[in-house]
Amino acid sequence: MPESAFYAKAMQGTSRLVGHWLLLGQATPDRLAMILADTARLARLGEPEETPSGATLEGWSRGRHPPLWAARTALFLLVQMPSRPVPRDEFEACAWAYCWLRNRRFGDVSEARDALPGHLHETLATVLEQAWLDKQTQRLI
């Protein structure tokens, strides 16, 4: 099966998603990397073999493909921020939608959309539909 345009965009957007966490997190890159890894473990979003360094986190944010646990955890943390951040571009939005569906189980796309924080409903509506279609083709499993 050929790779979907959505999936390619989502994978490209994962570094932007991690970069968004690095931009908005209020700590040094080393501390933000530690928070990311510890949160992944505690929230069961992945099992990092080791805690990355701040330099590694910065590399991931500049286009080096981050591990999925890092992108999933960055989204987990971003959607809880009181500043209510939103994706900065289409690629990052695809990554947000991809990770949203990976972080929780939903019965259908409307359930996934309804579970989003209110400020993301409109922003992620289209890409969440695309992510759901991608999931139905077993891409997200």
Side-chain angles (χ1 to χ4, degrees):
M1 170 195 295
E3 190 172 277
S4 75
F6 169 81
Y7 182 76
K9 288 178 184 177
M11 291 302 97
Q12 188 172 350
T14 58
S15 65
R16 293 174 174 156
L17 176 54
V18 170
H20 207 152
W21 163 244
L22 186 60
L23 176 70
L24 296 180
Q26 297 182 349
T28 66
D30 283 331
R31 178 91 172 121
L32 292 172
M34 183 184 69
I35 292 168
L36 198 68
D38 288 349
T39 302
R41 292 178 187 109
L42 290 171
R44 296 189 174 127
L45 298 172
E47 282 296 325
E49 292 180 23
E50 59 185 42
T51 299
S53 67
T56 298
L57 185 64
E58 289 173 331
W60 291 341
S61 74
R62 288 193 293 266
R64 211 175 82 218
H65 189 70
L68 188 54
W69 69 261
R72 290 177 65 194
T73 306
L75 175 70
F76 178 83
L77 292 164
L78 286 169
V79 298
Q80 295 181 60
M81 288 184 150
S83 63
R84 300 171 35 158
V86 296
R88 298 169 291 174
D89 62 32
E90 181 183 8
F91 294 97
E92 188 178 336
C94 288
W96 282 50
Y98 177 88
C99 291
W100 184 254
L101 295 181
R102 292 292 306 249
N103 283 357
R104 298 172 60 183
R105 293 191 188 276
F106 301 103
D108 59 36
V109 70
S110 61
E111 185 182 328
R113 187 178 45 252
D114 292 346
L116 283 168
H119 72 283
L120 293 172
H121 282 205
E122 188 175 321
T123 304
L124 295 181
T126 301
V127 293
L128 194 59
E129 294 278 344
Q130 294 169 7
W132 187 263
L133 287 173
D134 202 61
K135 179 182 180 190
Q136 298 315 302
T137 63
Q138 306 303 307
R139 165 90 51 214
L140 296 179
I141 293 181

